[in-house]
Amino acid sequence: MTTRRKILFSCLFAYLLLDAYQAIAVSMDYLKMFNNSHGKLTPNGQEAWNIFYGMQLAGPNNKIWMYFISLILVPTIFSWTYIYMKNSYFENMIITRKPYRQLVLNSLKSIVLKIFLLKVIIIFLELLIISGIFHTVDFSMSTTFNEKIGRSYIVFSNNILMNFIMYILFSTVGWSLWCALFYSVFLFIKKTILILPATLLLDVFLIIIPAVTETKNSVVKILMYLPFIGNLQSPGNITIGGEPSIPLAIICLFTILFYIVITYILFFYYIKSAQKGRL
Protein backbone atom coordinates (compact mmCIF):
# COMPACT_ATOMS: atom_id res chain seq x y z
CA MET A 1 0.00 0.00 0.00
CA THR A 2 1.40 3.39 -1.04
CA THR A 3 1.87 6.25 1.38
CA ARG A 4 -0.97 8.23 -0.23
CA ARG A 5 -3.34 5.29 0.17
CA LYS A 6 -2.33 4.89 3.81
CA ILE A 7 -3.06 8.57 4.43
CA LEU A 8 -6.41 8.26 2.63
CA PHE A 9 -7.52 5.25 4.66
CA SER A 10 -6.27 6.88 7.87
CA CYS A 11 -8.35 10.00 7.15
CA LEU A 12 -11.40 7.87 6.31
CA PHE A 13 -11.03 5.80 9.46
CA ALA A 14 -10.51 8.92 11.60
CA TYR A 15 -13.59 10.58 10.09
CA LEU A 16 -15.77 7.54 10.75
CA LEU A 17 -14.43 7.36 14.31
CA LEU A 18 -15.30 11.02 14.89
CA ASP A 19 -18.77 10.48 13.46
CA ALA A 20 -19.24 7.42 15.68
CA TYR A 21 -18.04 9.40 18.71
CA GLN A 22 -20.56 12.15 17.91
CA ALA A 23 -23.38 9.59 17.57
CA ILE A 24 -22.44 7.96 20.88
CA ALA A 25 -22.15 11.30 22.72
CA VAL A 26 -25.47 12.62 21.40
CA SER A 27 -27.30 9.33 22.07
CA MET A 28 -25.93 9.23 25.62
CA ASP A 29 -26.98 12.85 26.22
CA TYR A 30 -30.52 12.11 25.07
CA LEU A 31 -30.72 8.94 27.14
CA LYS A 32 -29.52 10.80 30.23
CA MET A 33 -32.06 13.58 29.65
CA PHE A 34 -34.91 11.07 29.28
CA ASN A 35 -33.80 9.09 32.33
CA ASN A 36 -33.70 12.28 34.40
CA SER A 37 -37.25 13.25 33.41
CA HIS A 38 -38.71 10.97 36.11
CA GLY A 39 -40.94 9.14 33.67
CA LYS A 40 -42.22 12.22 31.83
CA LEU A 41 -40.15 11.30 28.78
CA THR A 42 -39.81 7.77 27.43
CA PRO A 43 -37.29 6.77 24.73
CA ASN A 44 -39.20 5.93 21.56
CA GLY A 45 -38.70 5.31 17.86
CA GLN A 46 -39.55 8.81 16.69
CA GLU A 47 -37.17 10.44 19.15
CA ALA A 48 -34.53 8.06 17.81
CA TRP A 49 -35.24 9.44 14.33
CA ASN A 50 -35.05 12.98 15.72
CA ILE A 51 -31.59 12.22 17.05
CA PHE A 52 -30.53 10.81 13.68
CA TYR A 53 -31.82 13.66 11.50
CA GLY A 54 -30.62 16.25 14.00
CA MET A 55 -27.16 14.72 13.69
CA GLN A 56 -26.91 15.41 9.97
CA LEU A 57 -24.85 18.36 8.76
CA ALA A 58 -25.96 21.67 10.33
CA GLY A 59 -28.58 19.89 12.44
CA PRO A 60 -28.98 20.77 16.14
CA ASN A 61 -27.21 17.54 17.15
CA ASN A 62 -24.34 18.06 14.70
CA LYS A 63 -21.33 19.27 16.69
CA ILE A 64 -19.83 22.46 15.25
CA TRP A 65 -16.38 20.88 15.01
CA MET A 66 -17.81 17.90 13.13
CA TYR A 67 -19.67 20.23 10.79
CA PHE A 68 -16.54 22.14 9.75
CA ILE A 69 -14.46 18.97 9.48
CA SER A 70 -17.12 17.58 7.14
CA LEU A 71 -17.24 20.76 5.05
CA ILE A 72 -13.51 20.47 4.36
CA LEU A 73 -12.89 16.72 4.44
CA VAL A 74 -15.83 15.29 2.49
CA PRO A 75 -15.17 17.15 -0.82
CA THR A 76 -11.39 16.65 -0.64
CA ILE A 77 -10.82 13.19 0.82
CA PHE A 78 -11.03 11.38 -2.53
CA SER A 79 -10.29 14.33 -4.82
CA TRP A 80 -6.91 15.05 -3.25
CA THR A 81 -5.09 12.09 -4.82
CA TYR A 82 -6.35 12.84 -8.32
CA ILE A 83 -5.56 16.55 -8.08
CA TYR A 84 -2.11 15.70 -6.70
CA MET A 85 -1.49 13.39 -9.67
CA LYS A 86 -2.62 16.09 -12.10
CA ASN A 87 -0.48 18.80 -10.54
CA SER A 88 2.60 16.56 -10.25
CA TYR A 89 2.22 15.60 -13.93
CA PHE A 90 1.98 11.93 -13.03
CA GLU A 91 -0.84 11.72 -15.56
CA ASN A 92 1.64 12.38 -18.35
CA MET A 93 3.13 8.93 -17.70
CA ILE A 94 -0.16 7.18 -18.50
CA ILE A 95 -1.85 9.61 -20.84
CA THR A 96 -0.40 7.88 -23.90
CA ARG A 97 -2.29 4.69 -22.96
CA LYS A 98 -5.60 6.38 -22.25
CA PRO A 99 -7.21 9.55 -23.65
CA TYR A 100 -6.98 12.46 -21.21
CA ARG A 101 -10.73 12.99 -21.28
CA GLN A 102 -11.32 9.37 -20.30
CA LEU A 103 -8.67 9.57 -17.60
CA VAL A 104 -10.28 12.56 -15.87
CA LEU A 105 -13.78 11.19 -16.39
CA ASN A 106 -12.81 7.92 -14.71
CA SER A 107 -11.45 9.83 -11.72
CA LEU A 108 -14.75 11.73 -11.46
CA LYS A 109 -16.74 8.47 -11.57
CA SER A 110 -14.49 6.98 -8.90
CA ILE A 111 -14.98 9.98 -6.57
CA VAL A 112 -18.76 9.92 -7.02
CA LEU A 113 -19.00 6.19 -6.28
CA LYS A 114 -16.73 6.35 -3.21
CA ILE A 115 -18.57 9.32 -1.69
CA PHE A 116 -21.91 7.60 -2.34
CA LEU A 117 -20.71 4.52 -0.44
CA LEU A 118 -19.19 6.63 2.35
CA LYS A 119 -22.50 8.41 2.95
CA VAL A 120 -24.39 5.09 3.06
CA ILE A 121 -21.90 3.73 5.62
CA ILE A 122 -22.23 6.88 7.75
CA ILE A 123 -26.04 6.71 7.72
CA PHE A 124 -26.23 3.11 8.89
CA LEU A 125 -23.37 3.52 11.37
CA GLU A 126 -25.28 6.34 13.06
CA LEU A 127 -28.55 4.39 13.07
CA LEU A 128 -26.79 1.37 14.56
CA ILE A 129 -25.30 3.44 17.40
CA ILE A 130 -28.56 5.29 18.14
CA SER A 131 -30.52 2.01 18.18
CA GLY A 132 -27.95 0.39 20.47
CA ILE A 133 -27.80 3.22 23.01
CA PHE A 134 -31.07 5.14 22.94
CA HIS A 135 -33.90 3.25 21.21
CA THR A 136 -34.41 1.18 18.08
CA VAL A 137 -35.56 3.24 15.10
CA ASP A 138 -38.94 2.24 13.68
CA PHE A 139 -38.85 1.03 10.06
CA SER A 140 -42.52 0.06 9.96
CA MET A 141 -44.22 1.13 6.72
CA SER A 142 -47.37 2.08 8.62
CA THR A 143 -45.65 4.43 11.10
CA THR A 144 -46.04 8.18 10.63
CA PHE A 145 -44.41 11.08 12.43
CA ASN A 146 -46.23 12.06 15.60
CA GLU A 147 -46.92 15.77 15.22
CA LYS A 148 -47.03 16.13 19.01
CA ILE A 149 -43.33 15.31 19.11
CA GLY A 150 -41.43 18.32 17.84
CA ARG A 151 -38.74 18.08 15.19
CA SER A 152 -36.13 20.52 13.88
CA TYR A 153 -36.02 19.26 10.29
CA ILE A 154 -38.29 19.26 7.24
CA VAL A 155 -39.48 15.86 6.04
CA PHE A 156 -39.95 14.51 2.53
CA SER A 157 -42.93 12.44 3.66
CA ASN A 158 -44.91 12.13 6.88
CA ASN A 159 -44.43 8.36 6.59
CA ILE A 160 -41.27 7.52 8.54
CA LEU A 161 -40.00 4.74 6.28
CA MET A 162 -40.74 6.63 3.05
CA ASN A 163 -39.03 9.72 4.45
CA PHE A 164 -35.94 7.68 5.31
CA ILE A 165 -35.81 6.11 1.83
CA MET A 166 -36.07 9.54 0.21
CA TYR A 167 -33.48 10.96 2.61
CA ILE A 168 -31.01 8.21 1.66
CA LEU A 169 -31.65 8.86 -2.03
CA PHE A 170 -31.31 12.64 -1.93
CA SER A 171 -28.45 12.78 0.59
CA THR A 172 -26.28 10.18 -1.16
CA VAL A 173 -26.87 11.76 -4.57
CA GLY A 174 -26.37 15.16 -2.95
CA TRP A 175 -23.02 14.27 -1.40
CA SER A 176 -21.85 12.71 -4.67
CA LEU A 177 -22.80 15.80 -6.66
CA TRP A 178 -21.34 18.11 -3.99
CA CYS A 179 -17.98 16.36 -4.39
CA ALA A 180 -18.26 16.14 -8.19
CA LEU A 181 -18.87 19.89 -8.39
CA PHE A 182 -15.91 20.70 -6.14
CA TYR A 183 -13.65 18.28 -8.03
CA SER A 184 -14.57 20.08 -11.27
CA VAL A 185 -13.43 23.32 -9.63
CA PHE A 186 -10.28 21.74 -8.17
CA LEU A 187 -9.17 20.74 -11.67
CA PHE A 188 -8.41 24.42 -12.36
CA ILE A 189 -6.20 24.72 -9.24
CA LYS A 190 -2.50 24.14 -9.93
CA LYS A 191 -1.27 23.96 -6.33
CA THR A 192 -2.83 20.99 -4.55
CA ILE A 193 -2.70 22.50 -1.07
CA LEU A 194 -4.95 25.35 -2.23
CA ILE A 195 -7.93 23.03 -2.62
CA LEU A 196 -8.38 23.15 1.19
CA PRO A 197 -9.08 26.90 1.48
CA ALA A 198 -10.94 26.74 -1.85
CA THR A 199 -13.24 24.09 -0.37
CA LEU A 200 -14.12 26.18 2.66
CA LEU A 201 -14.67 29.31 0.56
CA LEU A 202 -16.95 27.46 -1.86
CA ASP A 203 -18.92 25.89 0.98
CA VAL A 204 -19.43 29.22 2.73
CA PHE A 205 -20.25 31.08 -0.49
CA LEU A 206 -22.81 28.53 -1.70
CA ILE A 207 -24.51 28.34 1.71
CA ILE A 208 -24.30 31.91 3.03
CA ILE A 209 -25.10 33.92 -0.13
CA PRO A 210 -28.46 32.24 -0.87
CA ALA A 211 -29.34 32.00 2.83
CA VAL A 212 -28.87 35.72 3.57
CA THR A 213 -30.98 36.82 0.64
CA GLU A 214 -34.06 37.94 2.55
CA THR A 215 -37.19 38.21 0.42
CA LYS A 216 -40.92 37.77 0.85
CA ASN A 217 -41.33 36.87 -2.80
CA SER A 218 -41.92 33.11 -2.86
CA VAL A 219 -40.74 32.78 -6.48
CA VAL A 220 -37.41 34.51 -5.74
CA LYS A 221 -36.99 32.41 -2.59
CA ILE A 222 -37.47 29.21 -4.62
CA LEU A 223 -34.96 30.45 -7.20
CA MET A 224 -32.43 31.08 -4.43
CA TYR A 225 -32.73 27.39 -3.52
CA LEU A 226 -31.18 26.47 -6.89
CA PRO A 227 -27.57 27.37 -5.92
CA PHE A 228 -28.16 26.55 -2.24
CA ILE A 229 -25.71 23.71 -1.69
CA GLY A 230 -27.19 22.95 1.72
CA ASN A 231 -29.87 21.00 -0.19
CA LEU A 232 -27.14 18.60 -1.30
CA GLN A 233 -25.23 18.47 1.98
CA SER A 234 -28.13 18.00 4.39
CA PRO A 235 -31.59 18.00 2.77
CA GLY A 236 -34.25 19.11 5.23
CA ASN A 237 -31.82 20.47 7.82
CA ILE A 238 -30.45 23.55 6.06
CA THR A 239 -33.17 25.82 4.70
CA ILE A 240 -33.71 29.38 3.54
CA GLY A 241 -36.12 31.31 5.73
CA GLY A 242 -37.94 28.30 7.15
CA GLU A 243 -40.00 25.65 5.40
CA PRO A 244 -40.30 26.16 1.62
CA SER A 245 -43.69 26.65 -0.01
CA ILE A 246 -43.25 23.62 -2.29
CA PRO A 247 -42.35 20.02 -1.32
CA LEU A 248 -38.79 19.40 -0.14
CA ALA A 249 -38.26 16.69 -2.78
CA ILE A 250 -38.96 19.16 -5.60
CA ILE A 251 -36.66 21.77 -4.07
CA CYS A 252 -33.84 19.22 -3.79
CA LEU A 253 -34.47 17.96 -7.31
CA PHE A 254 -34.16 21.50 -8.68
CA THR A 255 -30.85 21.96 -6.84
CA ILE A 256 -29.54 18.61 -8.11
CA LEU A 257 -30.41 19.46 -11.72
CA PHE A 258 -28.87 22.93 -11.36
CA TYR A 259 -25.57 21.55 -10.07
CA ILE A 260 -25.47 18.74 -12.63
CA VAL A 261 -25.50 21.43 -15.33
CA ILE A 262 -22.84 23.54 -13.56
CA THR A 263 -20.61 20.49 -12.98
CA TYR A 264 -20.99 19.40 -16.61
CA ILE A 265 -20.03 22.87 -17.88
CA LEU A 266 -16.98 23.16 -15.59
CA PHE A 267 -15.79 19.63 -16.26
CA PHE A 268 -15.92 19.75 -20.04
CA TYR A 269 -14.60 23.32 -20.19
CA TYR A 270 -11.56 22.09 -18.28
CA ILE A 271 -11.13 19.11 -20.63
CA LYS A 272 -11.26 21.28 -23.73
CA SER A 273 -8.92 23.88 -22.23
CA ALA A 274 -6.43 21.21 -21.12
CA GLN A 275 -6.48 19.53 -24.53
CA LYS A 276 -5.74 22.89 -26.17
CA GLY A 277 -2.85 23.47 -23.74
CA ARG A 278 -4.43 26.45 -21.98
CA LEU A 279 -4.08 24.84 -18.53
Side-chain angles (χ1 to χ4, degrees), residues 8-22:
L8 172 63
F9 282 112
S10 297
C11 289
L12 272 175
F13 184 68
Y15 183 69
L16 289 174
L17 276 181
L18 287 173
D19 188 69
Y21 169 76
Q22 175 184 245

Side-chain angles (χ1 to χ4, degrees), residues 17-203:
L17 276 181
L18 287 173
D19 188 69
Y21 169 76
Q22 175 184 245
I24 292 170
V26 171
S27 298
M28 292 293 291
D29 287 343
Y30 267 77
L31 184 62
K32 183 179 180 180
M33 178 180 68
F34 275 63
N35 289 339
N36 290 338
S37 69
H38 304 292
K40 294 180 181 179
L41 299 173
T42 305
N44 58 76
Q46 181 163 332
E47 287 292 357
W49 282 117
N50 285 348
I51 294 173
F52 168 74
Y53 288 117
M55 204 182 297
Q56 307 310 299
L57 293 185
N61 298 331
N62 184 220
K63 306 295 186 183
I64 188 68
W65 52 266
M66 190 65 184
Y67 178 60
F68 280 104
I69 288 173
S70 298
L71 287 185
I72 296 174
L73 189 65
V74 171
T76 60
I77 192 167
F78 295 118
S79 298
W80 182 278
T81 299
Y82 296 111
I83 298 301
Y84 175 83
M85 290 170 59
K86 176 187 75 71
N87 291 340
S88 61
Y89 303 103
F90 177 76
E91 289 173 334
N92 294 338
M93 299 172 58
I94 55 178
I95 200 170
T96 56
R97 292 178 292 165
K98 190 177 292 186
Y100 188 68
R101 175 176 173 171
Q102 190 62 41
L103 188 69
V104 182
L105 184 59
N106 285 346
S107 64
L108 179 63
K109 290 178 180 177
S110 175
I111 290 169
V112 166
L113 178 60
K114 290 172 181 176
I115 287 294
F116 183 94
L117 293 175
L118 176 63
K119 181 58 176 174
V120 170
I121 291 171
I122 288 172
I123 287 173
F124 285 98
L125 174 65
E126 291 171 350
L127 287 176
L128 181 64
I129 292 171
I130 293 169
S131 296
I133 296 176
F134 181 76
H135 191 280
T136 305
V137 292
D138 189 353
F139 284 105
S140 174
M141 187 63 193
S142 61
T143 306
T144 59
F145 285 102
N146 184 350
E147 296 301 327
K148 293 182 179 179
I149 299 178
R151 58 175 183 261
S152 60
Y153 51 91
I154 301 170
V155 296
F156 292 99
S157 169
N158 199 45
N159 180 280
I160 286 181
L161 179 58
M162 185 58 65
N163 185 72
F164 177 60
I165 292 172
M166 295 181 73
Y167 178 79
I168 288 182
L169 175 64
F170 280 104
S171 63
T172 51
V173 171
W175 273 39
S176 298
L177 186 54
W178 171 25
C179 295
L181 169 72
F182 279 40
Y183 177 62
S184 298
V185 174
F186 296 160
L187 288 169
F188 294 90
I189 298 176
K190 295 185 177 182
K191 287 190 177 293
T192 309
I193 192 65
L194 293 180
I195 72 173
L196 294 177
T199 298
L200 191 56
L201 286 174
L202 280 170
D203 276 320

